[in-house]
Amino acid sequence: MTVSLMSSTIEHLSKQTKLKLLFISTPVGPLGSGLGGGVELTLTNLVQELQRQGHSIQVVAPENSVASNTSLVAIPGELQPTAHTRGRASPITLPGHSVLAGMWDYARKAQQDYDLLVNFAYDWLPFYLTPFIGRPIAHFVSMGSLSTAMDHVIHNVALQFPDTIGVYTRTQAETFPFADTCRCLGSAVDLSLYEYCDQPGPCLVWLGRISPEKGLEDAVSAAQRSQTPLKILGKLEDKDYWRKICEDYPEAPIEYLGFLSTAELQGVVRQCRALLMTPRWIEAFGNVAIEALACGVPVITYRRGGPAEIVKSGKTGWLVEPDSVDGLTEAIAQVDQLSRRACRQQAEAEYSLTALGERFEQWFRDILTSRH
Ligand code: UDP
């Protein structure tokens, strides 16, 4: 017994040893549906890069998930409500036939086959279960602080299992009372999937889940004021919210293109003059920002949250006063001064999959080393 523990410790410390990882996806939607937002892209990118490095990964996700080039265990059940649609004081809920419970039931039974479990859910249950699961768990937290109950349960895990809480950005970490214990891991894009475009057409673009925390109305208002056409892409998460925007801005030069695949999305985005990002909340990262940069498209956004850590104002976009439509409008007028080449170069220098894979691998190895 002692001998096998020691040899497995030595193996995990060795960079040459490949890891066996169980990725447990978000329970708010099937992988590929867009309901999970940017964490779906992060998970997909990580699977691709870590498999390329020779690690073996099994993904557990709600049924109807789509994941190419990886083995997927599909779990039936009702989806979790999204945390951002509920109040800070809201109690924890689990539907009767919970997909989240089913996914963790699978993880508990299969855990012996893996070195490490990796949780991508912003949900109470996986954090609560952590001390009851024998295998170590790395928790990737994809949003800032949204609820008291979640803050408590994540904090408990951070104290009991140091360095097992990963986040996108420092700004995101600082929304939590346990900011100092979080490891910032950032995000990345597969640059080969995004084609650079030097000469854009006349349109602006807005990308994301259509939901109040994303502040789409500000982008629509700025497009109307600057009389610049705006293409809108993304999951229609809140239909009433979208209807109200259409009623409030009947004259706005906007066009909704639906939820597109990455290949289709970059085909539209790269031909646009700029990406408008108008989040009301503290965006944890803002994957759409680096997707736009990868196409050579500057990003106009508020000086708040993750996007403010990404955009170099005056070089690869403009950071404007939060919630200021005037600020957005002024920035739109100046966007053509920016070098699109500089945008692509920033994506290449700072957001490659290789660097993301290395950061996550190091995090996983550190967790395994400290656990042994
Ligand atoms: N997205 C997409 N198709 C679309 C619009 C958006 O696949 O038509 C994806 C986009 O690639 C990104 C995600 O939706 O990965 C949005 O992630 P982000 O981090 O910007 O915000 P979140 O939804 O996580 O708050």
Side-chain angles (χ1 to χ4, degrees):
M1 209 45 199
T2 319
V3 172
S4 84
L5 184 67
M6 277 178 64
S7 62
S8 95
T9 308
I10 292 160
E11 276 177 17
H12 286 134
L13 291 171
S14 153
K15 282 256 174 206
Q16 276 69 49
T17 311
K18 301 304 175 190
L19 302 174
K20 291 180 82 180
L21 305 166
L22 184 65
F23 277 19
I24 304 140
S25 187
T26 169
V28 303
L31 198 53
S33 69
L35 287 167
V39 75
E40 292 183 30
L41 184 72
T42 305
L43 185 151
T44 307
N45 282 339
L46 272 175
V47 168
Q48 183 190 324
E49 178 58 22
L50 293 171
Q51 285 188 162
R52 202 174 67 81
Q53 296 300 333
H55 304 293
S56 94
I57 301 178
Q58 170 80 66
V59 177
V60 184
E63 72 181 348
N64 300 320
S65 288
V66 184
S68 53
N69 303 327
T70 191
S71 134
L72 188 100
V73 177
I75 305 288
E78 286 174 71
L79 300 171
Q80 273 302 106
T82 47
H84 59 267
T85 53
R86 304 164 58 77
R88 175 158 284 280
S90 65
I92 299 304
T93 53
L94 282 173
H97 177 36
S98 162
V99 74
L100 176 62
M103 285 159 72
W104 280 86
D105 204 32
Y106 178 88
R108 181 178 58 77
K109 289 176 188 149
Q111 58 177 308
Q112 297 305 333
D113 297 336
Y114 300 92
D115 297 311
L116 181 75
L117 314 186
V118 187
N119 167 39
F120 289 88
Y122 191 102
D123 279 281
W124 183 85
L125 187 66
F127 293 94
Y128 180 78
L129 288 177
T130 301
F132 301 97
I133 304 263
R135 279 287 183 261
I137 306 176
H139 296 274
F140 183 68
V141 176
S142 62
M143 291 185 282
S145 169
L146 292 172
S147 101
T148 309
M150 280 296 292
D151 283 5
H152 276 148
V153 79
I154 306 175
H155 201 167
N156 283 342
V157 173
L159 293 174
Q160 228 180 315
F161 302 95
D163 201 22
T164 60
I165 308 297
V167 293
Y168 276 122
T169 57
R170 180 56 33 210
T171 323
Q172 174 199 359
E174 281 163 5
T175 66
F176 293 110
F178 46 85
D180 291 349
T181 65
C182 298
R183 185 175 291 213
C184 293
L185 295 153
S187 192
V189 277
D190 178 351
L191 288 152
S192 69
L193 301 180
Y194 300 82
E195 201 178 312
Y196 172 71
C197 169
D198 202 50
Q199 299 294 325
C203 297
L204 301 167
V205 66
W206 186 97
L207 284 175
R209 290 176 295 103
I210 299 180
S211 180
E213 74 280 4
K214 294 288 185 176
L216 172 58
E217 63 276 22
D218 287 6
V220 171
S221 174
Q224 177 161 305
R225 276 203 218 169
S226 57
Q227 280 303 299
T228 311
L230 176 70
K231 291 184 193 288
I232 298 168
L233 279 64
K235 194 82 191 170
L236 195 44
E237 198 180 316
D238 186 333
K239 292 194 175 65
D240 292 339
Y241 170 65
W242 169 241
R243 206 171 297 124
K244 174 128 183 18
I245 292 175
C246 295
E247 282 166 13
D248 290 349
Y249 299 93
E251 306 298 331
I254 59 174
E255 184 187 8
Y256 175 55
L257 302 184
F259 177 73
L260 305 189
S261 67
T262 300
E264 296 164 328
L265 173 148
Q266 66 86 34
V268 174
V269 172
R270 68 185 145 95
Q271 295 176 42
C272 293
R273 283 172 60 206
L275 171 74
L276 297 186
M277 261 185 104
T278 45
R280 294 257 174 266
W281 68 351
I282 296 184
E283 188 81 48
F285 186 81
N287 284 284
V288 296
I290 59 173
E291 295 184 273
L293 293 177
C295 298
V297 175
V299 180
I300 297 173
T301 186
Y302 297 140
R303 187 175 280 104
R304 167 161 74 201
E309 287 188 32
I310 300 168
V311 174
K312 297 184 193 313
S313 198
K315 198 163 176 228
T316 59
W318 296 107
L319 292 175
V320 309
E321 190 193 327
D323 309 316
S324 166
V325 173
D326 285 345
L328 296 173
T329 312
E330 279 168 33
I332 292 167
Q334 296 178 48
V335 81
D336 298 330
Q337 300 169 10
L338 302 171
S339 153
R340 293 173 73 87
R341 182 55 66 186
C343 297
R344 172 75 189 191
Q345 279 165 355
Q346 188 190 348
E348 286 170 357
E350 298 177 22
Y351 299 109
S352 75
L353 280 194
T354 315
L356 182 79
E358 282 168 5
R359 288 193 297 273
F360 269 82
E361 183 181 335
Q362 190 57 54
W363 180 41
F364 296 158
R365 289 194 191 279
D366 289 347
I367 291 172
L368 291 169
T369 305
S370 68
R371 180 61 78 95
H372 285 297

